[in-house]
Amino acid sequence: MANYLPNQYKIDNALGINHNYLREQFEDHKEIFAEIEELLSDSQFTLGSYVDECEVLFANRVGAKYAIGVGSGTDAIFLSLKALGVGPGDEVITTPFTYIATIGAIATTGAKPVFVDIKEDFNIDEKLIEAKITTKTKCIVPVHWTGRPCEMNEIHKIAEKFNLKIVQDACHAIDSKYNNNDLVNYGGIACYSMHPLKNLNVWGDGGFVTTNDANFAEKISLMRNHGLIDRDNAEFFAYNSRLDSIQAIVAKYLIRNRLDNITKSRQENALYFDELLNDVPEITLNQRNKNLSEVFHLYQFKAKNRDELKMHLIQKGVDAKIHYPKPMHLQKAAKYLGYSEGDFPVAENLAQISMSLPVHEFITKSQIEYAVDNIKLFYRG
Amino acid sequence: MQVPFVDLKKRFNFYQQQIVDKLIELGQNNDYILGQSVHEFETKMAEFIGCKYVVGVNSGFDALFLSLMALGISSEDEVITVSNSYIATANAIKAVGATPVFVDVGKDYNISVEKIEKSITPKTKVIMPVHLTGNPCEMDKIVKIARKYNLKIIEDAAQAIGAKYKNKNIGNWGDASCFSMHPIKNLGLLGDGGFICTNSKATQKKLLLLRNHGHKNRDEIIAVGYNSRLDTFQASVALIFLNDLGSWNKRINQIADMYRSSIFGLVIHPILKKHSFAVYQNYIVMVPERDKLIEFLANHGIETKIHYPIPIHKQSAYKYMNRKIYNLPETERQVSQILSLPMYPELTDEQVNHTIETINKFYAK
């Protein structure tokens, strides 16, 4: 097949300890279909009341004044940067330990991604940011990896000191809180994804820009829709990146009926893994921190003999994955940035030794116990 | 009698069960992102257009944006196009940092081929003809000019799925050809969607990378990419509709013939060049006393629209380009006279005849 189909979309059958749970989730679809049938008869496919309602629900959920539905998480970051005027000649600080979309969004604006190494908790090392700031730096894009918030107080202080903008990559972080505060309060802009594998997941691509700034919200609303202030008048050149009404319907249903449980069960499952893995010396867990309320888009940890352990678990039907084995600065696409191996030792090391297990809402306690038993079996023989 | 300008309900009510069945199947197969239907759609659409490759993307705008990127167009470059198009045409050119250069149109509302050469500068890289309303531009002549000056052609075929010029389908005349499947297009989906046709393997490969983050495989990224995927669900809907597109296009031409043969007098009908097959996304006539006619039709339940009341070079978004004063007399002359009549396959003969009679009545007064 000419196109790349990520492995995670294939259905695994072994024991069901899989990252993918879309099939289970789809069991529950009657209410969604009732509204889709309504949509089919009123034909509001492009923006309109379904998207409006979803935006209000989403904004309330993440504690933002405004949420603007867009085509994807990538677009949310891209449009935010463009709306802030980031472009060629500018630099944007972020982490090499992320999904390529973060970097693609920055590079597509014409700005140069500038990497800062991460800490042992997989998030950007706020202490290393200042050293990377130049006169060209316009923006910091912290990535709340796996839904664990970055140290936003510190990052916010740095941004204020150097007069930089913050665009948070919160694509993994629906429901995450920092010091019990909503993320959007740190710098005013947070971007979310609703890709089918995310915690809040729709049936195709979709995302949100959230903000507390009315002017910025207005600008994003225009930018996602060709710059049109009405049918016939374009205010500035812009893009086409709209949240489809169908996806808005799915998201509305999930926010109203399922998201509480999605977040809660991921947190409970992660803590249960923590408890059971705590006494395995070959495994190093993230230090939990009560100020960082995590939502565990992935349950990620460090493991000795990672690659062998992964093979072992897969043979036992446990869907162990690596997110991701090659950090961004070592990708071929990033070659023009001139980085080389050794530039970001923590990120490079964690790419070698980290592993992710599924903790989504359909994982049961006994499945967690089974996975842990097999990890212990691997090390104890 | 009511004649709405757009009536999507009829179509979707008819296909409702098929669409819902497809959606359930999709969910049960876990197949949301670049799934089976996307590949099947790309194969079927390539057969329909008669081109080698089709790449599904998130919208018609993205089709243009990604095609320009794939052909390496950037900030120093100029792209020749027209000003009477939808704003997305020029926005896509601006999105890669290039400058749109507007050429006047002919009486057929399409780019005036004789005026292209005068607008070519050393910075010109691409000609982007717009097949407005799905009425083909004179592509043979445009290809000749492009060859002479070593320019690329990107067809803005957003409204032209199924159109033909000199026995060759639109979609085969450019280095890349860009189509939209926005809900009100002739192959309209349930949300945004688009695709690109190309006969170049290299361009197809670049487009596949650009639409999906530059992935070579899950873990290796070999190009700075973007995220613009045709949803699997929308591709499934497109596959359902594609079966009927041929008959829809026939019906649209039947309606065009009815308008053409029965609306008399002062109304100027769309001009079709020889050897053209148009698909009439809109049926645009030029009429005197337009605004009065619009009101008269509205009073008789007939909804009309103007495509487009403000040409792109007059939009505030493009005012910065006033350093170049555009002289587009034909574009500007047409703006005050053009009127789009209702045009979609679901129109009944009664609705079409009501529109015809009402227009004739207006001018008979």
Side-chain angles (χ1 to χ4, degrees):
Chain A
M1 198 168 297
N3 291 296
Y4 151 62
L5 278 174
N7 289 328
Q8 63 261 42
Y9 302 120
K10 297 194 183 121
I11 300 164
D12 304 298
N13 48 13
L15 293 170
I17 308 183
N18 297 321
H19 278 277
N20 196 320
Y21 55 95
L22 297 174
R23 181 188 287 268
E24 290 88 336
Q25 195 180 39
F26 203 82
E27 301 286 306
D28 179 16
H29 62 256
K30 286 212 171 55
E31 197 174 316
I32 297 175
F33 272 108
E35 199 165 7
I36 287 179
E37 290 189 10
E38 214 176 281
L39 167 71
L40 286 175
S41 70
D42 72 20
S43 301
Q44 284 188 66
F45 297 116
T46 305
L47 301 178
S49 64
Y50 301 96
V51 175
D52 293 346
E53 277 172 39
C54 186
E55 290 179 339
V56 171
L57 271 179
F58 195 90
N60 289 339
R61 184 76 191 196
V62 301
K65 282 193 187 144
Y66 309 96
I68 303 98
V70 296
S72 68
T74 315
D75 279 358
I77 299 170
F78 172 70
L79 293 174
S80 295
L81 292 170
K82 289 297 285 188
L84 294 172
V86 173
D90 298 333
E91 294 180 354
V92 176
I93 288 178
T94 190
T95 145
F97 203 91
T98 182
Y99 180 58
I100 183 65
T102 318
I103 317 306
I106 295 168
T108 311
T109 68
K112 182 180 165 192
V114 172
F115 296 122
V116 167
D117 207 356
I118 54 171
K119 300 177 294 188
E120 289 297 326
D121 75 344
F122 302 91
N123 276 338
I124 191 165
D125 189 338
E126 63 279 358
K127 289 184 211 67
L128 301 179
I129 292 177
E130 276 202 47
K132 290 297 179 81
I133 294 174
T134 72
T135 51
K136 292 178 176 172
T137 309
K138 286 284 147 56
C139 189
I140 305 172
V141 179
V143 180
H144 306 301
W145 188 245
T146 74
R148 177 182 172 100
C150 298
E151 281 298 344
M152 288 314 294
N153 249 342
E154 309 307 317
I155 293 170
H156 194 214
K157 270 185 209 154
I158 296 167
E160 298 219 304
K161 182 172 164 194
F162 292 91
N163 197 20
L164 306 176
K165 303 286 185 190
I166 298 174
V167 172
Q168 297 176 58
D169 180 343
C171 287
H172 288 179
I174 177 78
D175 279 356
S176 291
K177 295 241 167 41
Y178 178 78
N179 279 343
N180 271 327
N181 253 323
D182 293 311
L183 295 173
V184 71
N185 294 319
Y186 298 89
I189 302 165
C191 301
Y192 292 87
S193 165
M194 299 193 292
H195 178 281
L197 293 177
K198 294 298 191 292
N199 293 15
L200 171 63
N201 54 350
V202 295
W203 297 350
D205 279 306
F208 271 105
V209 176
T210 64
T211 180
N212 290 330
D213 178 336
N215 291 329
F216 183 81
E218 174 69 21
K219 192 150 190 201
I220 296 285
S221 312
L222 293 176
M223 285 185 82
R224 72 165 169 189
N225 193 24
H226 300 296
L228 292 170
I229 47 174
D230 56 38
R231 175 180 178 273
D232 302 322
N233 286 284
E235 192 71 5
F236 49 80
F237 11 92
Y239 304 88
N240 176 354
S241 175
R242 301 174 285 230
L243 178 64
D244 273 346
S245 292
I246 285 213
Q247 311 299 2
I249 289 170
V250 177
K252 280 198 304 176
Y253 172 79
L254 291 174
I255 295 170
R256 282 190 178 126
N257 303 293
R258 300 288 290 274
L259 189 51
D260 285 343
N261 185 54
I262 289 170
T263 300
K264 192 168 142 258
S265 52
R266 281 177 180 269
Q267 289 171 334
E268 283 172 2
N269 287 340
L271 291 182
Y272 194 47
F273 259 123
D274 274 4
E275 190 188 320
L276 299 182
L277 286 173
N278 203 23
D279 62 349
V280 182
E282 293 86 352
I283 300 285
T284 310
L285 302 175
N286 253 359
Q287 295 280 318
R288 304 301 164 203
N289 176 338
K290 65 175 172 25
N291 294 327
L292 308 179
S293 131
E294 305 182 51
V295 294
F296 300 97
H297 173 56
L298 307 164
Y299 181 77
Q300 202 168 24
F301 55 86
K302 296 156 214 162
K304 238 183 192 167
N305 300 332
R306 193 255 328 251
D307 293 340
E308 291 84 352
L309 174 61
K310 182 188 166 199
M311 287 309 298
H312 170 80
L313 289 174
I314 287 173
Q315 280 162 13
K316 298 292 179 186
V318 180
D319 188 17
K321 284 191 185 298
I322 315 298
H323 295 89
Y324 291 92
K326 195 190 246 188
M328 292 304 121
H329 66 290
L330 300 179
Q331 296 286 353
K332 188 176 167 198
K335 218 172 167 187
Y336 75 104
L337 296 171
Y339 291 109
S340 54
E341 225 171 306
D343 285 346
F344 304 105
V346 182
E348 287 166 30
N349 181 43
L350 295 193
Q352 297 298 318
I353 64 171
S354 64
M355 177 190 286
S356 319
L357 294 176
V359 285
H360 55 74
E361 60 190 301
F362 299 101
I363 296 287
T364 63
K365 279 201 157 184
S366 62
Q367 286 179 316
I368 293 172
E369 287 156 9
Y370 173 83
V372 171
D373 286 348
N374 277 291
I375 292 173
K376 290 180 174 166
L377 195 70
F378 170 74
Y379 289 121
R380 307 288 164 262
Chain B
M1 183 186 297
Q2 295 300 310
V3 190
F5 191 76
V6 178
D7 191 1
L8 298 176
K9 275 178 213 177
K10 270 189 197 165
R11 181 173 307 175
F12 290 112
N13 285 344
F14 182 80
Y15 291 99
Q16 187 153 347
Q17 199 50 51
Q18 260 176 288
I19 291 170
V20 169
D21 288 350
K22 202 72 211 176
L23 199 42
I24 291 174
E25 184 190 315
L26 195 80
Q28 286 169 346
N29 291 331
N30 259 334
D31 197 18
Y32 298 107
I33 302 286
L34 296 183
Q36 192 50 43
S37 292
V38 175
H39 304 294
E40 209 178 303
F41 166 77
E42 289 174 343
T43 307
K44 289 258 170 71
M45 187 50 89
E47 277 167 27
F48 184 83
I49 303 272
C51 64
K52 280 196 190 146
Y53 310 105
V54 165
V55 178
V57 295
N58 191 43
S59 69
F61 168 85
D62 278 358
L64 294 167
F65 181 36
L66 267 56
S67 294
L68 286 159
M69 280 200 267
L71 296 179
I73 307 309
S74 66
S75 51
E76 295 303 306
D77 302 332
E78 293 179 354
V79 177
I80 289 179
T81 188
V82 292
S83 177
N84 68 340
S85 181
Y86 184 58
I87 188 79
T89 309
N91 275 351
I93 297 168
K94 283 302 302 176
V96 298
T99 305
V101 172
F102 300 116
V103 168
D104 208 358
V105 295
K107 302 242 183 294
D108 63 350
Y109 313 131
N110 279 338
I111 192 163
S112 177
V113 174
E114 315 79 65
K115 292 182 183 148
I116 293 177
E117 285 200 58
K118 273 188 293 186
S119 297
I120 295 174
T121 75
K123 291 181 172 177
T124 308
K125 291 282 153 60
V126 175
I127 305 174
M128 186 181 282
V130 180
H131 306 296
L132 200 72
T133 76
N135 185 13
C137 298
E138 294 174 278
M139 288 313 298
D140 50 345
K141 294 181 185 164
I142 293 170
V143 167
K144 253 188 211 158
I145 297 170
R147 286 215 182 113
K148 184 171 163 195
Y149 292 91
N150 195 22
L151 306 175
K152 303 280 186 194
I153 295 176
I154 297 178
E155 292 182 90
D156 181 342
Q159 306 181 331
I161 305 179
K164 230 182 235 188
Y165 183 67
K166 298 211 163 161
N167 274 328
K168 199 189 220 181
N169 284 323
I170 295 305
N172 288 290
W173 292 90
D175 296 278
S177 305
C178 304
F179 294 85
S180 166
M181 297 188 288
H182 177 278
I184 63 168
K185 292 298 191 296
N186 63 349
L187 182 68
L189 307 180
L190 278 66
D192 279 307
F195 62 93
I196 302 155
C197 294
T198 181
N199 287 308
S200 152
K201 177 89 193 156
T203 304
Q204 181 229 16
K205 273 173 95 175
K206 277 188 198 156
L207 290 168
L208 291 176
L209 286 171
L210 280 169
R211 76 159 172 196
N212 194 23
H213 301 295
H215 274 293
K216 181 182 164 199
N217 54 42
R218 175 178 179 273
D219 301 323
E220 298 212 53
I221 314 296
I222 57 168
V224 173
Y226 201 62
N227 175 354
S228 176
R229 300 176 284 229
L230 176 63
D231 273 345
T232 306
F233 168 62
Q234 303 293 2
S236 306
V237 176
L239 281 168
I240 296 171
F241 289 172
L242 191 53
N243 292 326
D244 292 324
L245 182 60
S247 56
W248 294 348
N249 281 343
K250 258 187 217 155
R251 170 67 183 157
I252 274 173
N253 271 279
Q254 218 171 44
I255 297 167
D257 289 343
M258 289 167 78
Y259 280 149
R260 199 181 285 280
S261 60
S262 311
I263 300 175
F264 299 116
L266 303 161
V267 173
I268 300 170
H269 290 275
I271 294 167
L272 205 56
K273 288 265 161 35
K274 249 189 185 173
H275 312 296
S276 290
F277 178 74
V279 293
Y280 297 104
Q281 166 70 38
N282 290 304
Y283 192 85
I284 302 182
V285 291
M286 295 230 285
V287 294
E289 296 180 78
R290 178 186 64 186
D291 296 345
K292 278 187 199 156
L293 174 62
I294 291 174
E295 205 188 322
F296 188 76
L297 289 171
N299 290 338
H300 288 78
I302 301 158
E303 195 187 356
T304 54
K305 287 200 191 291
I306 300 166
H307 294 91
Y308 299 91
I310 306 170
I312 297 172
H313 71 289
K314 298 272 184 189
Q315 292 285 356
S316 42
Y318 286 86
K319 282 210 179 114
Y320 85 101
M321 294 199 303
N322 276 353
R323 63 173 188 266
K324 173 155 185 174
I325 304 296
Y326 278 103
N327 185 22
L328 306 173
E330 184 61 25
T331 303
E332 287 168 33
R333 185 181 76 85
Q334 289 172 5
V335 162
S336 58
Q337 298 178 45
I338 48 176
L339 182 68
S340 303
L341 305 180
M343 180 52 109
Y344 42 93
E346 293 82 2
L347 280 174
T348 62
D349 284 359
E350 289 73 26
Q351 286 174 309
V352 177
N353 286 328
H354 176 60
T355 305
I356 292 168
E357 282 156 22
T358 311
I359 295 172
N360 287 339
K361 199 155 95 190
F362 175 79
Y363 287 111
K365 279 194 304 188

